[in-house]
Amino acid sequence: QHYKRNFILGISNGIFFNLGLAFLSGSTVLPIFMAHLTDSKVLIGLATSIENIGWHLPQLFVAALTLHYSKQLGIYTKAALLRTIAFLGIVISILILGEKNHNLLLILFFVLFTFFSVSGGLAAVSFMDIVGKTIPANKRGSYFGMRMFFGGGLAALSGILVKKILGGYSFPANFGLLFSLALLTIFLGLGSFALVKEPILSNSRPHKSLKENCQEAFSLFQTDATYKLLFLVRIAIGSVTLAYPFYILYAQKTLNIKPEAAGIFLSFE
């Protein structure tokens, strides 16, 4: 009944969210920001990994607690609100502490960014469940493809703006502005999906304990060869991306490339 509305809102969600994440890219923008606060390569690498950890790790536990609900949109909306509040805290912290206290800003950033990322993991199960109920299986390829095509295209173009902001403003104003743009676009993305019309399941799924959920997941890993291959490929890709944040830092410190080159890197990423 609401297919066209849900399809358009889902595409809008992907476009805004991909654009927002470009403004705090873990392979370009975020490493340079972290380099202003610390020389620790461990902390820089950890900051860029938190988002993936926060997105994936909570899902197994959240599924056991919520997947039997007949409606999931309320969970998604609450988690989206938590994400917005956490990221707003990051922007405020940068603007207030950026020139005064780098150590406190570093601590607050890790706490708030972890909260932002884990909130995404809390919403992930609901998001995928809603997509499964609102987008027919034969339309999901074009659904996610259009999200990435238009969102990725705008993210590439955003590199021009990132270059101008990093080159035209000094720290912390440059990152305060970039993260404010990220906050705005992420908020628009989360808000778009919150307007989706979710159908109510006529037959609710049975409530499973965390133990049962883990056993089912492990059984699936053992018996489904396609899923197992996907799992291993994702681990391999994740291992490769661990090095990404250090390329821009190497280019900046060893090759004497200016920080605003992060915008060019972002466009080609």
Side-chain angles (χ1 to χ4, degrees), residues 18-210:
N18 277 291
L19 179 58
L21 293 180
F23 288 122
L24 55 104
S25 168
S27 58
T28 52
V29 177
L30 195 55
I32 296 178
F33 169 73
M34 290 296 299
H36 281 87
L37 306 180
T38 179
D39 293 325
S40 171
K41 301 298 186 294
V42 173
L43 292 179
I44 292 173
L46 178 61
T48 57
S49 300
I50 284 177
E51 187 182 356
N52 277 329
I53 296 171
W55 171 261
H56 291 103
L57 189 59
Q59 292 187 33
L60 188 64
F61 306 99
V62 173
L65 297 173
T66 65
L67 206 54
H68 60 285
Y69 292 174
S70 59
K71 293 195 72 174
Q72 298 285 330
L73 192 59
I75 300 171
Y76 176 88
T77 304
K78 290 182 178 67
L81 181 60
L82 292 176
R83 298 195 86 182
T84 303
I85 293 172
F87 207 82
L88 177 61
I90 292 175
V91 173
I92 294 173
S93 299
I94 292 172
L95 296 176
I96 294 177
L97 299 173
E99 292 181 347
K100 299 176 182 178
N101 194 328
H102 285 186
N103 290 331
L104 180 57
L105 176 56
L106 180 65
I107 294 171
L108 284 175
F109 173 79
F110 267 106
V111 172
L112 292 169
F113 195 57
T114 299
F115 195 73
F116 168 80
S117 302
V118 170
S119 298
L122 297 178
V125 174
S126 299
F127 171 80
M128 291 298 181
D129 192 59
I130 294 168
V131 170
K133 289 191 288 185
T134 57
I135 307 298
N138 65 328
K139 297 292 184 181
R140 290 173 197 159
S142 56
Y143 178 82
F144 283 105
M146 291 174 70
R147 284 166 57 95
M148 293 302 298
F149 178 79
F150 293 111
L154 286 177
L157 291 175
S158 73
I160 300 171
L161 184 56
V162 170
K163 182 177 183 294
K164 289 184 176 181
I165 292 174
L166 288 179
Y169 298 88
S170 58
F171 185 87
N174 50 6
F175 287 98
L177 182 54
L178 282 177
F179 281 36
S180 295
L181 290 171
L183 173 64
L184 174 62
T185 48
I186 288 173
F187 175 75
L188 290 173
L190 295 172
S192 296
F193 200 78
L195 296 175
V196 163
K197 295 289 187 180
E198 180 191 9
I200 301 176
L201 288 179
S202 55
N203 296 314
S204 298
R205 286 167 292 232
H207 184 194
K208 296 181 179 180
S209 66
L210 177 59

Side-chain angles (χ1 to χ4, degrees), residues 21-22 24-32 48 51 241-249 262 265-266 268-269:
L21 293 180
L24 55 104
S25 168
S27 58
T28 52
V29 177
L30 195 55
I32 296 178
T48 57
E51 187 182 356
T241 58
L242 288 174
Y244 281 7
F246 300 102
Y247 292 137
I248 186 65
L249 297 180
F265 278 55
L266 177 61
F268 284 92
E269 184 181 359

